Amino acid sequence: MIDWKTEKENIEKRIVIEEKIKTILVDSLMLDLDKKLIQNDQPLFGRGLELDSIDALELSIGISTEFGIALSDDDMSIFSSINKLTDYIIENQLIEE
């Protein structure tokens, strides 16, 4: 049976994390962009937000500082979208708890 209270809490937690990531993106990288315009499945590199390797480093530092999670360059696919970063953060926060 689905525990709707837990599901609602998980969804709310995810939304908070996504918003924090968008804030880090816009503030740390000084993007001239409203964070509301960033889609959760939008590519961060290439044809998406067109971030580069320096931006990835800044983003990594911002996420590490905000969430207390170390990001490694072993799996760069986590930087492909807000959704992937959120999944990674949630998984690693659960491991550390």
Side-chain angles (χ1 to χ4, degrees):
M1 187 163 159
I2 296 174
D3 181 356
W4 292 109
K5 182 179 177 185
T6 301
E7 287 300 313
K8 181 180 178 194
E9 290 170 359
N10 289 340
I11 290 168
E12 290 170 350
K13 179 180 179 180
R14 183 175 186 87
I15 290 169
V16 167
I17 292 171
E18 290 166 348
E19 289 302 311
K20 285 182 180 182
I21 293 171
K22 289 177 186 181
T23 299
I24 292 168
L25 272 169
V26 171
D27 293 348
S28 297
L29 305 180
M30 294 182 275
L31 298 179
D32 187 24
L33 180 67
D34 186 341
K35 70 179 184 177
K36 294 176 187 170
L37 298 175
I38 301 172
Q39 300 297 313
N40 293 339
D41 60 349
Q42 179 179 8
L44 299 180
F45 297 89
R47 60 183 166 74
L49 290 179
E50 299 180 359
L51 302 182
D52 60 25
S53 59
I54 301 298
D55 295 327
L57 179 60
E58 291 286 334
L59 180 57
S60 175
I61 292 168
I63 288 174
S64 294
T65 302
E66 177 68 32
F67 298 102
I69 294 174
L71 300 173
S72 73
D73 58 358
D74 293 341
D75 186 8
M76 292 303 290
S77 68
I78 63 171
F79 289 99
S80 62
S81 69
I82 301 293
N83 281 331
K84 291 276 192 171
L85 279 168
T86 303
D87 291 341
Y88 183 84
I89 290 167
I90 290 171
E91 288 172 16
N92 283 281
Q93 282 182 332
L94 289 176
I95 290 171
E96 292 179 10
E97 290 178 349

